[in-house]
Amino acid sequence: MKLKKIITITAVAVISVLLIYGFILISQIFSANTKFEEKEVYVHVPTGSNYSDVKKILEPYIKNFDNFELVANKRSYPENVKSGRFLLKKDMNNIDLVRAMRSNIPVKLAFNNQERLENFAGRVGSEIEADSLSLLKAFRDPKFLSDNGFNEENVFAMFIPNTYEVYWNTSAEKFRDKMIKEYHKFWTPERIEQAKKQGLTPVQVSILASIVHKESVKKDERPRIAGVYLNRLRLEMPLQADPTVIYALKLRDNNFDQVIKRVFYNDLVMKSPYNTYINIGLPPGPIAMADITALEAVLNPEKNDYIYFCASVDRFGYHEFASNYADHTKNAKKYSDWIASQGVTR
């Protein structure tokens, strides 16, 4: 009886210890183990990182690292570190934290209204791991340009404004390759045929659309403006587009932050391939990233006999159109007088 009692007591003690250990272990595994106050945070693990690097990245966000490592080791995470962008939520337990560090969350990258390739590279470089210099190098790679029918001046036409999902750790080359796929996806056989009907290639559509985009923020007016410019191209007239002159001025000054609201005669005679007052035809590349409504406006222009237009003083944001120079002169004087009365000197 005495031996039996000893065995019973020992068994109870062992079970108690195991239960206590199990409770502690479960507590370590399933207790909340974050120390940030936000509802969620994203952490970024650079390409080539190892577990030591990850520990430094996670240290500001995890309360008890020993508990995290206990689970991480059990789940072989140190040997299987992933690079990318990972979502941590407040009060996650260690199992959830390890699981989160295995799930690379894509970035929703939206872009439009970019004025030139350098600005665009900076915009993308602020959202993914690849920096702006590596992106520019990838965009301007001679073989890539040659293989896809672009050059350094018109490659900006490749980018179709939209919202895209890309992984944060996407390389510059992979991002570029995704963009060329999206370009070909946009340029369906139907759109290419529409471009041909206007006497344009897809790149030329993008260049003209960039001018239309800059001329008017009113989407309902863009097909009419596109019709005017296509009329001028068919007549072999200079496009005489003020936005191209403004672009040339900014390019000359290497200052795309300056605000230019008024173009003067001396600007119109400036020597630049982007000055459509002295050069017939399209400039060598887009002067901005044309959005889809501007592209569609060029592909589906309004059929009209207008040759001229200028900003309206009666319907702000819109333009007054004319089919002869005499009517255009009246419209232009009205606008010139108004803008002078506003004290706009540049």
Side-chain angles (χ1 to χ4, degrees):
M1 286 294 295
K2 191 174 181 180
L3 179 61
K4 187 176 180 181
K5 188 175 182 180
I6 292 172
I7 292 172
T8 301
I9 293 171
T10 303
V12 169
V14 170
I15 291 170
S16 298
V17 169
L18 290 174
L19 286 172
I20 292 169
Y21 176 76
F23 175 79
I24 293 171
L25 185 62
I26 290 171
S27 178
Q28 289 174 333
I29 292 172
F30 291 103
S31 294
N33 195 22
T34 60
K35 62 178 180 181
F36 51 87
E37 293 303 316
E38 301 89 340
K39 286 185 178 180
E40 56 185 41
V41 297
Y42 284 97
V43 296
H44 299 84
V45 178
T47 300
S49 296
N50 56 32
Y51 185 54
S52 294
D53 299 320
V54 172
K55 287 198 289 184
K56 292 176 185 176
I57 293 167
L58 291 180
E59 195 279 330
Y61 306 103
I62 291 180
K63 192 180 344 181
N64 188 317
F65 223 94
D66 290 338
N67 290 349
F68 172 80
E69 286 201 275
L70 178 68
V71 176
N73 287 320
K74 289 284 185 184
R75 299 205 159 205
S76 303
Y77 174 71
E79 299 82 36
N80 296 282
V81 166
K82 284 186 175 183
S83 60
R85 174 177 178 257
F86 305 96
L87 175 63
L88 306 183
K89 296 183 179 180
K90 185 179 180 180
D91 294 333
M92 269 184 165
N93 62 44
N94 292 296
I95 289 178
D96 290 335
L97 286 166
V98 173
R99 188 180 293 126
M101 293 305 296
R102 295 184 188 275
S103 181
N104 192 2
I105 306 295
V107 175
K108 285 190 176 181
L109 177 60
F111 53 80
N112 55 25
N113 290 330
Q114 303 298 308
E115 201 160 23
R116 57 179 182 154
L117 194 63
E118 289 83 354
N119 299 113
F120 176 64
R123 168 78 182 89
V124 176
S126 69
E127 296 285 340
I128 67 173
E129 184 178 17
D131 62 22
S132 59
L133 291 178
S134 63
L135 286 162
L136 280 174
K137 184 179 179 182
F139 299 156
R140 289 170 172 165
D141 176 66
K143 186 175 188 309
F144 172 80
L145 295 175
S146 176
D147 288 348
N148 291 282
F150 295 111
N151 57 47
E152 284 197 18
E153 289 184 301
N154 66 28
V155 68
F156 200 30
M158 178 177 76
F159 304 101
I160 308 296
N162 212 328
T163 299
Y164 300 97
E165 279 199 353
V166 294
Y167 287 107
W168 176 80
N169 54 319
T170 298
S171 69
E173 291 75 17
K174 285 186 178 179
F175 177 78
R176 175 201 65 195
D177 294 344
K178 178 178 177 61
M179 290 297 98
I180 192 65
K181 285 181 183 177
E182 295 293 340
Y183 174 82
H184 290 305
K185 191 185 295 183
F186 177 83
W187 283 104
T188 60
E190 292 76 17
R191 284 195 173 112
I192 292 173
E193 187 58 34
Q194 286 177 306
K196 284 181 181 177
K197 286 180 182 178
Q198 307 307 327
L200 303 172
T201 66
V203 169
Q204 289 172 328
V205 168
S206 293
I207 293 172
L208 183 54
S210 72
I211 300 172
V212 173
H213 178 102
K214 280 292 189 178
E215 282 285 12
S216 180
V217 297
K218 303 296 185 181
K219 295 178 181 179
D220 59 327
E221 190 184 53
R222 286 175 173 175
R224 176 167 292 185
I225 291 174
V228 174
Y229 281 133
L230 287 165
N231 289 341
R232 290 182 184 178
L233 286 173
R234 293 186 188 106
L235 293 170
E236 296 187 350
M237 286 178 58
L239 290 182
Q240 296 183 330
D242 286 0
T244 65
V245 178
I246 292 170
Y247 182 88
L249 288 167
K250 291 181 177 182
L251 191 64
R252 181 197 65 189
D253 299 341
N254 193 29
N255 179 7
F256 278 80
D257 294 325
Q258 61 181 310
V259 177
I260 301 174
K261 294 183 178 180
R262 196 170 183 182
V263 172
F264 297 102
Y265 175 77
N266 287 342
D267 302 326
L268 303 184
V269 296
M270 177 184 57
K271 288 184 179 180
S272 168
Y274 287 92
N275 183 352
T276 57
Y277 275 82
I278 62 173
N279 300 300
I280 292 176
L282 294 167
I287 61 167
M289 181 180 285
D291 68 20
I292 291 176
T293 63
L295 292 165
E296 293 290 0
V298 175
L299 292 174
N300 300 282
E302 177 185 282
K303 292 182 179 179
N304 57 57
D305 62 354
Y306 296 132
I307 301 297
Y308 306 101
F309 66 95
C310 73
S312 174
V313 298
D314 300 316
R315 299 177 304 137
F316 288 108
Y318 285 92
H319 295 78
E320 302 296 342
F321 295 81
S323 55
N324 62 76
Y325 190 67
D327 288 344
H328 172 63
T329 301
K330 294 175 185 176
N331 293 335
K333 185 178 186 308
K334 191 174 181 180
Y335 175 72
S336 179
D337 290 346
W338 177 83
I339 201 167
S341 71
Q342 302 302 304
V344 177
T345 57
R346 193 45 162 162

